[in-house]
Amino acid sequence: MKLNLGCGQDVRTNYVNIDIQGGPGVIKGDFKVLDSVQEIKGQKFDEIVAIDVLRHIAPAELGTIIPQWASLLEPGGTIYFESLDYNLLGVILQYDQTQTEQICQLIYPSVGIYNLIEFEAFLKRLGLETQMKGYTN
């Protein structure tokens, strides 16, 4: 089984799609509190997709939420994260004399700054193995 967290409009075939808004083919639920989503209680997943959801999680919550997701994996299962690297965004927009922190506050005012290196180190501190990293278009 495969799980798509915070799917929004990205409703995937052959996935259990969860989003706070619900909708056709989507279970209404909060990806921050998956133990409250009755439809997936007791289930394990080979794959969890978390695209553009990290921006909705405060840094203080990561240490609780990501291990919760990892506990839903079958042995050898994978969580795929895709998210904006704020430091890279700052470099890209540097010509505009805008600082990375200011950009982050404009885009995501309630969440801290994430970047690939810090996030990978965080996952390792949780005891999770990282297999791939990099930037994609």
Side-chain angles (χ1 to χ4, degrees):
M1 285 187 97
K2 298 178 182 181
L3 182 60
N4 183 14
L5 297 176
C7 66
Q9 300 297 314
D10 181 24
V11 180
R12 297 178 178 217
T13 305
N14 299 321
Y15 280 76
V16 175
N17 297 285
I18 295 178
D19 192 82
I20 197 79
Q21 306 261 330
V26 179
I27 297 169
K28 185 174 183 173
D30 186 349
F31 62 75
K32 294 180 185 180
V33 194
L34 288 176
D35 57 352
S36 68
V37 180
Q38 296 298 320
E39 293 88 341
I40 65 167
K41 280 209 184 249
Q43 294 187 40
K44 295 286 185 177
F45 299 89
D46 299 310
E47 177 182 304
I48 297 175
V49 175
I51 296 178
D52 203 25
V53 298
L54 294 177
R55 67 188 177 110
H56 299 289
I57 303 172
E61 296 176 302
L62 284 173
T64 303
I65 293 170
I66 292 177
Q68 178 190 105
W69 295 353
S71 73
L72 297 174
L73 290 172
E74 292 282 2
T78 304
I79 301 176
Y80 292 98
F81 293 101
E82 184 177 312
S83 189
L84 177 64
D85 183 324
Y86 296 99
N87 288 341
L88 179 61
L89 178 63
V91 170
I92 291 169
L93 297 177
Q94 198 167 27
Y95 72 90
D96 193 18
Q97 306 290 321
T98 307
Q99 299 297 315
T100 303
E101 186 174 340
Q102 292 169 320
I103 294 167
C104 293
Q105 289 302 311
L106 291 171
I107 298 173
Y108 306 118
S110 64
V111 181
I113 297 173
Y114 298 110
N115 66 55
L116 184 62
I117 294 166
E118 291 173 1
F119 189 61
E120 182 179 31
F122 173 77
L123 293 174
K124 287 182 178 180
R125 285 194 303 274
L126 291 177
L128 300 173
E129 179 182 335
T130 59
Q131 296 179 358
M132 297 180 72
K133 63 180 180 179
Y135 299 98
T136 60
N137 338 6

